[in-house]
Amino acid sequence: MALGGRPGARMTDALDVPVNRMTLLRIIRRIPERPLQPPEVLGVDDFAIKKGQHYATILIDMATHRPIDVLPDRSADTFADWLRRHPGVRVICRDRGGNYAIGARAGAPDAIQVADRYHLWANLGEAVEKTVLAHRACLHPPEPTTEEQPEPAPAQIALPPDGLRDVHGRDRRLVTRTQERHAAVQTLLAQGKSLSAMCRELNLEMGTVRRFARADSLDELLFKATHRVTKLDPFKAYLIERWNDGQTDAAALFRELLEQGYHGGKLTVRRFLHHSAATTTSPDPGRVRSSRATPPDGS
């Protein structure tokens, strides 16, 4: 695969064949495009050009796992028109969105539609997580035997003591990563390395290196990293209070937040409650895992 721009320039530097990034882009643009051969098994999914506002569609040849085309939007008509202009697709592998299903039926009515593995696992994980949270109150601790002492009741949810540590008092991964990057950048800076050389050596983007190099102190970086305001922040104390009062239905709590002016998503509320409950009540924090299913092979 040809790499252009800054990634390509960094690769040529590593190969000791430095080439200007604009030269690489000109070379790539002169490569003639291969004639498009419609695949028998077509993968289709959307991606955000500007999240929340503009989405496009990418088409993948599932036999070679290579992109073959990009559509300007994710509408059913656009997808159906592409299928009509490229006959021969026998199987369409898609997510569970309605637009692609309608477009597939209109543009390739004889093609078989299947759900891809990632979305099957993702949907299953969301369904399991929602069910567990909704019926959490139905789960009771096992009865203690005569030889065992009853275990203490699970701790209730509480906010972390500060932004630098989690509920178990350990440094958050974000904090550790910020400290390591700051130390590495400051060491190279003391050696007189340029920002471009730091980018290549640390494999970081220019904006990241510049931020760490120009920061007045590590405390400034840690404060910015751990005090990012989200839409849910003003409502976290209320959520914790309601959860500790016995309301463990995330959907019901989400509706309560809407009445109070919350403009975020339901999944954000569910993840916050699930993560807070898991990290607070688990006796072995190193073994806590999300109930969201992870697709095999990283798919």
Side-chain angles (χ1 to χ4, degrees):
M1 178 182 292
L3 292 176
R6 291 189 178 89
R10 288 198 295 270
M11 176 175 286
T12 56
D13 285 344
L15 297 174
D16 202 22
V17 187
V19 180
N20 185 272
R21 63 187 181 89
M22 298 307 298
T23 302
L24 287 174
L25 289 173
R26 286 194 295 270
I27 293 174
I28 291 174
R29 287 168 181 163
R30 288 200 296 266
I31 298 176
E33 295 185 4
R34 299 178 181 177
L36 176 61
Q37 298 293 333
E40 290 190 356
V41 183
L42 176 69
V44 54
D45 203 354
D46 61 353
F47 66 95
I49 295 178
K50 190 170 184 181
K51 192 169 183 180
Q53 299 186 32
H54 188 192
Y55 290 83
T57 298
I58 186 169
L59 304 178
I60 305 290
D61 184 342
M62 299 304 290
T64 62
H65 301 285
R66 291 180 177 272
I68 58 175
D69 208 345
V70 175
L71 307 183
D73 54 44
R74 54 180 179 180
S75 68
D77 292 338
T78 301
F79 183 42
D81 181 63
W82 189 94
L83 290 172
R84 295 189 190 99
R85 290 185 286 106
H86 302 87
V89 177
R90 298 176 56 190
V91 179
I92 297 175
C93 183
R94 60 173 179 83
D95 62 18
R96 300 185 66 186
N99 284 347
Y100 294 138
I102 296 172
R105 286 195 295 268
D110 296 331
I112 300 173
Q113 298 186 39
V114 299
D116 64 77
R117 181 171 56 184
Y118 166 77
H119 285 96
L120 285 176
W121 278 100
N123 294 149
L124 175 61
E126 291 176 2
V128 170
E129 185 176 24
K130 181 178 179 181
T131 302
V132 170
L133 287 173
H135 298 280
R136 186 180 181 86
C138 301
L139 301 177
H140 301 288
E143 293 294 333
T145 63
T146 56
E147 299 179 358
E148 296 178 347
Q149 296 296 326
E151 296 183 359
Q156 294 184 315
I157 294 178
L159 286 172
D162 56 46
L164 302 181
R165 296 175 178 82
D166 60 19
V167 295
H168 303 287
R170 303 170 303 182
D171 286 344
R172 294 170 55 191
R173 284 180 294 179
L174 175 62
V175 172
T176 303
R177 185 179 63 196
T178 301
Q179 293 170 336
E180 293 173 349
R181 287 183 175 178
H182 178 264
V185 169
Q186 293 302 317
T187 299
L188 296 178
L189 196 61
Q191 296 174 3
K193 296 290 184 69
S194 66
L195 296 183
S196 298
M198 294 183 200
C199 290
R200 293 191 295 271
E201 186 165 339
L202 300 176
N203 195 26
L204 296 175
E205 294 293 334
M206 176 62 74
T208 303
V209 172
R210 184 182 294 114
R211 185 172 70 255
F212 279 85
R214 296 180 178 178
D216 294 332
S217 66
L218 175 60
D219 290 340
E220 174 189 341
L221 292 169
L222 290 176
F223 182 84
K224 291 181 179 179
T226 58
H227 289 77
R228 296 172 181 171
V229 179
T230 68
K231 294 179 180 179
L232 188 61
D233 284 350
F235 305 94
K236 286 183 178 179
Y238 175 80
L239 280 176
I240 292 173
E241 180 181 358
R242 294 286 291 120
W243 179 281
N244 292 337
D245 287 341
Q247 175 55 276
T248 58
D249 187 340
L253 290 172
F254 171 71
R255 290 191 293 269
E256 292 181 19
L257 293 190
L258 291 180
E259 296 175 357
Q260 298 187 28
Y262 175 62
H263 298 292
K266 182 190 298 184
L267 188 57
T268 301
V269 175
R270 185 180 301 141
R271 283 174 174 167
F272 170 74
L273 292 172
H274 175 70
H275 175 75
S276 299
T279 55
T280 302
T281 61
S282 173
D284 185 0
R287 299 176 63 86
V288 172
R289 298 190 179 183
S290 171
S291 65
R292 179 177 300 282
T294 302
D297 302 327
S299 302

